[in-house]
Amino acid sequence: MIKAIIIDDIEQARITLKKDLQAYVPDLEVIGEAGGVIEGAKLLKSIKPDVLFLDIQMQDGSGFDLLDILKEINFKIIFITASDAHAIKAFRYA
């Protein structure tokens, strides 16, 4: 079973993504979710996912800010964003 975390400041986006993942990826379990950078960093320090679904632009910072906070990244990251400009930066960041 793949363990995943969703970090997005829009609750409806988290709900929709979780429903889509349940419908299309039956071997993936969402083990946690957070609504921002600080909450997400705390969650990632306590729970170790296999994959992180990460929004880029949030109320209290960016997904890139969150990644900069972490000492090590030992999970896959899937950026979720509606902005083309942020998507290009995400590709370059990786």
Side-chain angles (χ1 to χ4, degrees):
M1 181 73 64
I2 301 167
K3 296 181 245 167
I5 289 178
I6 301 171
I7 301 177
D8 192 321
D9 63 334
I10 300 172
E11 182 178 14
Q12 188 58 51
R14 293 193 313 266
I15 291 168
T16 301
L17 178 57
K18 194 163 37 171
K19 285 181 182 178
D20 288 345
L21 290 169
Q22 288 171 344
Y24 298 108
V25 190
D27 62 335
L28 184 141
E29 176 186 10
V30 176
I31 58 170
E33 46 185 285
V37 172
I38 295 170
E39 184 183 356
K42 289 177 184 176
L43 181 63
L44 286 166
K45 288 179 182 178
S46 65
I47 298 176
K48 303 300 180 200
D50 299 311
V51 65
L52 169 63
F53 292 89
L54 180 61
D55 188 17
I56 294 181
Q57 190 171 359
M58 294 179 273
Q59 295 282 334
D60 63 346
S62 74
F64 302 115
D65 295 334
L66 183 139
L67 296 175
D68 289 340
I69 290 171
L70 301 175
K71 292 183 179 178
E72 65 177 308
I73 299 172
N74 50 6
F75 47 83
K76 303 290 183 192
I77 302 166
I78 298 174
F79 289 104
I80 49 177
T81 183
S83 168
D84 292 347
H86 292 303
I88 292 168
K89 184 175 179 183
F91 289 131
R92 291 184 181 145
Y93 194 89

